[in-house]
């Protein structure tokens, strides 16, 4: 069973010490959070109680939350003092916390207080279905937190898995043999950390420098390996084949840990497909539904009724991501989806404004509408088109696009998310 432990310590220096202790003794998976907190997981036979005692012996004022749910462990460490084990009891150990700890809106807290509910345990005891029906769907998220069901994606801190070694020389190093001796010390030191973190590596980066002048080498293997003799030989051959051409005053060595492979977690869960196999999956889908029906959508600079195209090359997904050092910001926007085919509807107007739309025999009141907008084009060839467009909102909250085509009938083309 997987157990998460969240620890709140005094300051950022304590967090750095905590990260070193956890990665050395308990788990390579650790995430640092704001408020001088860190969370990590225990897998297998490690005892959470002895782990908490060990951490308290080194950080006496730490607050520790233990739970099978990551979000609950963080909540316990943030809102309580001492050690709080959320694995015991029906309320996931959160029952003693105040409703403010869940981030509930002030009006909701006041309403629940009027009912005599002042803590998380009281909220968790209420009938969930009736509460959501009466106060709205946002109560479902509060109940997930109160009952220890809230899902939080782990973002394991990559700083804990950086394996970098640097050395500055008192006097310049002139021959490669002396350099190999220094690099062997770096490999021995870094591989100890890789083994401790249960990681392998398939890429090494070596940087040789003198003052502002430097030379970088990248060495890769076909598969991840921790064979030190192999790595030393590969690095030496690379440097010998391309000598730096200057005396070296510093050397830096970094090993890039290989990404962990996904495996089947238990008997009843499916194996997670590797990301690099997406091309194989897409090829199978194309064979099933047709090559022209699968691809990466791209917006066209056109007023055509369906101004998008499908790029057959899935690799364009990666090309669209801005580089890490880019200042470009990705702004959220409302997306539009097209129905598989146009749906014919009947529309009743109040004057010149659509008031009711009938979809497959069902009436929907239109609470707001924008339009009509006349769009046309392609009249210079056989693909000409002309129509009027409306954006409508129904009493059910749906945002739809309604079009009047040349045949005189109204259709629903799609909607907005």
């Amino acid at each position: 069973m997987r157990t998460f432990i969240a620890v709140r310590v005094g300051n950022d220096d304590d967090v750095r010490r905590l990260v070193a202790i956890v990665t050395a003794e308990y788990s390579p998976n650790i995430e640092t959070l704001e408020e001088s907190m860190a969370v990590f997981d225990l897998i297998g036979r490690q005892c959470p109680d002895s782990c908490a005692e060990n951490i308290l012996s080194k950080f006496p004022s730490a607050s520790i939350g233990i739970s099978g749910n990551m979000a609950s462990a963080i909540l316990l460490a943030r809102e309580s003092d001492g050690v709080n084990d959320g694995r015991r009891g029906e309320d996931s150990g959160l029952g003693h916390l105040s409703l403010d700890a869940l981030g509930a809106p002030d009006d909701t807290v006041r309403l629940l207080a009027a009912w005599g509910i002042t803590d998380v345990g009281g909220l968790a005891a209420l009938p969930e279905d009736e509460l959501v029906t009466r106060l709205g769907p946002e109560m479902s998220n509060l109940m997930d937190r109160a009952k220890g069901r809230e899902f939080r994606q782990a973002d394991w801190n990559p700083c804990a898995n950086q394996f970098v070694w640097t050395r500055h020389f008192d006097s310049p190093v002139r021959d490669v043999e002396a350099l190999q001796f220094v690099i062997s010390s770096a490999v021995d030191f870094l591989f100890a950390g890789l083994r401790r973190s249960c990681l392998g590596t398939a890429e090494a980066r070596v940087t040789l420098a003198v003052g502002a002048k430097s030379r970088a080498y990248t060495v890769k293997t076909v598969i991840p390996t921790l064979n030190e003799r192999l790595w030393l030989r590969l690095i030496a051959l690379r440097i010998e084949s391309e000598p730096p051409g200057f005396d070296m005053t510093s050397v830096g060595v970094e090993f890039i840990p290989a990404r962990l492979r996904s495996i089947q977690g238990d008997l009843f869960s499916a194996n997670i497909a590797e990301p690099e196999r997406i091309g194989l999956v897409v090829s199978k889908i194309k064979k099933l539904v047709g090559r022209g029906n699968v691809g990466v959508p791209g917006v066209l600079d056109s007023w055509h009724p369906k101004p998008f195209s499908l790029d057959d090359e899935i690799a364009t997904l990666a090309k669209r991501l801005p580089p890490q050092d880019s200042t470009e910001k990705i702004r959220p926007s409302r997306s539009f989806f097209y129905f598989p085919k146009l749906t014919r509807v009947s529309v009743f107007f109040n004057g010149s404004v659509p008031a009711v739309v009938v979809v497959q025999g069902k009436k929907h009141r239109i609470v707001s509408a924008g339009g009509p907008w006349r769009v046309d084009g392609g009249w210079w060839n056989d693909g000409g088109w002309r129509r009027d467009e409306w954006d409508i909102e129904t009493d059910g909250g749906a945002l739809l696009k309604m079009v009047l085509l040349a045949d005189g009938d109204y259709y629903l083309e799609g909607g907005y998310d």
Side-chain angles (χ1 to χ4, degrees), residues 294-311:
V294 181
V296 181
V299 179
L300 300 175
D301 187 13
S302 170
W303 289 101
H304 192 273
K306 289 191 176 181
F308 66 89
S309 64
L310 287 179
D311 192 337

Side-chain angles (χ1 to χ4, degrees), residues 305 342 386-388 402-411 413:
L342 294 175
R386 178 179 179 180
R387 65 189 195 156
D388 291 342
M402 182 176 69
V403 296
L404 173 62
L405 300 186
D407 60 5
D409 288 332
Y410 284 91
Y411 297 85
E413 184 176 50

Side-chain angles (χ1 to χ4, degrees), residues 43-219:
I43 304 176
R45 297 180 179 274
Q46 298 187 76
C47 178
D49 295 329
S50 61
C51 175
E53 291 176 4
N54 184 30
I55 292 174
L56 273 181
S57 67
K58 296 177 172 63
F59 305 92
S61 60
S63 298
I64 301 176
I66 305 173
S67 177
N69 179 282
M70 178 184 283
S72 298
I74 294 173
L75 191 59
L76 286 169
R78 178 180 291 128
E79 302 295 335
S80 302
D81 296 326
V83 178
N84 295 271
D85 194 339
R87 300 170 300 161
R88 305 185 180 101
E90 297 181 356
D91 59 0
S92 300
L94 305 173
H96 66 284
L97 301 180
S98 67
L99 293 177
D100 294 331
L102 300 181
D106 293 340
D107 55 348
T108 302
V109 173
R110 288 194 294 268
L111 176 60
L112 292 174
W115 294 351
I117 306 297
T118 58
D119 57 22
V120 174
L123 175 61
L126 295 177
E128 184 171 351
D129 291 342
E130 295 182 17
L131 196 64
V132 171
T133 302
R134 184 166 183 176
L135 300 182
E138 62 274 4
M139 290 302 299
S140 179
N141 294 331
L142 285 180
M143 292 298 285
D144 285 343
R145 295 176 204 163
K147 294 186 176 183
R149 301 190 309 241
E150 183 182 12
F151 174 76
R152 183 187 186 280
Q153 178 65 45
D155 184 18
W156 303 129
N157 195 335
C159 294
N161 289 332
Q162 289 183 349
F163 302 92
V164 182
W165 183 94
T166 58
R167 179 64 54 86
H168 297 275
F169 308 128
D170 295 331
S171 58
V173 174
R174 292 180 172 82
D175 70 47
V176 176
E177 290 184 0
L179 179 64
Q180 290 178 5
F181 176 77
V182 175
I183 292 178
S184 67
S185 300
V187 172
D188 182 66
F189 173 81
L190 295 176
F191 275 30
L194 284 164
R195 291 191 180 94
R196 187 168 58 241
S197 299
C198 303
L199 296 173
T201 180
E203 180 178 352
R205 299 172 185 172
V206 180
T207 304
L208 308 178
V210 55
K213 190 176 182 180
S214 64
R215 179 70 183 271
Y217 302 86
T218 299
V219 182

